[in-house]
Amino acid sequence: MKKKKKSFSGLIKERNKKEKTMFLAGDIGGTKSRLALFSYDNEFKVIKEERFQSENFTSLNAVIRKFLADQKGKIEAACFGLPGPVREGKCQTTN
């Protein structure tokens, strides 16, 4: 007998019983970057959203560290939109 696979929302609900599940999303640009942190419980809820001037940071990691400095909990996944091609795991922004 085949074991039924759980749906995405089923997996998240199961995990939410243990701890808060969060997702990080970002729109990364040459002049500004916008980050948002979401929780999920049958629907996505914005926990925090912030915009950063890209010129004030040396890397995307630096922006993310500042954004998450006061957050607790585990980020389950992250997704970023970038203004250019990613080659060998790196992207040079347009500005």
Side-chain angles (χ1 to χ4, degrees):
M1 179 183 262
K2 279 189 170 183
K3 190 175 183 180
K4 187 177 178 183
K5 290 184 179 181
K6 291 185 180 180
S7 67
F8 174 75
S9 61
L11 291 170
I12 297 303
K13 283 180 187 176
E14 185 177 289
R15 185 170 180 91
N16 276 344
K17 292 176 186 175
K18 299 174 190 171
E19 62 184 48
K20 191 176 196 178
T21 301
M22 297 186 293
F23 300 89
L24 176 62
D27 177 12
I28 311 304
T31 56
K32 67 179 186 252
S33 296
R34 293 181 62 194
L35 297 178
L37 191 61
F38 299 87
S39 65
Y40 184 84
D41 185 20
N42 292 328
E43 65 182 24
F44 286 97
K45 178 183 173 188
V46 177
I47 296 172
K48 178 180 180 179
E49 186 175 6
E50 199 169 339
R51 186 168 65 180
F52 300 90
Q53 290 301 119
S54 297
E55 67 186 20
N56 295 335
F57 298 89
T58 58
S59 67
L60 176 57
N61 282 340
V63 176
I64 294 169
R65 279 191 199 103
K66 175 146 176 100
F67 180 70
L68 297 175
D70 62 346
Q71 295 298 313
K72 294 183 180 179
K74 181 180 179 184
I75 295 176
E76 189 69 24
C79 182
F80 302 98
L82 300 162
V86 177
R87 293 190 178 106
E88 297 181 18
K90 296 181 181 183
C91 177
Q92 180 66 43
T93 57
T94 55
N95 294 344

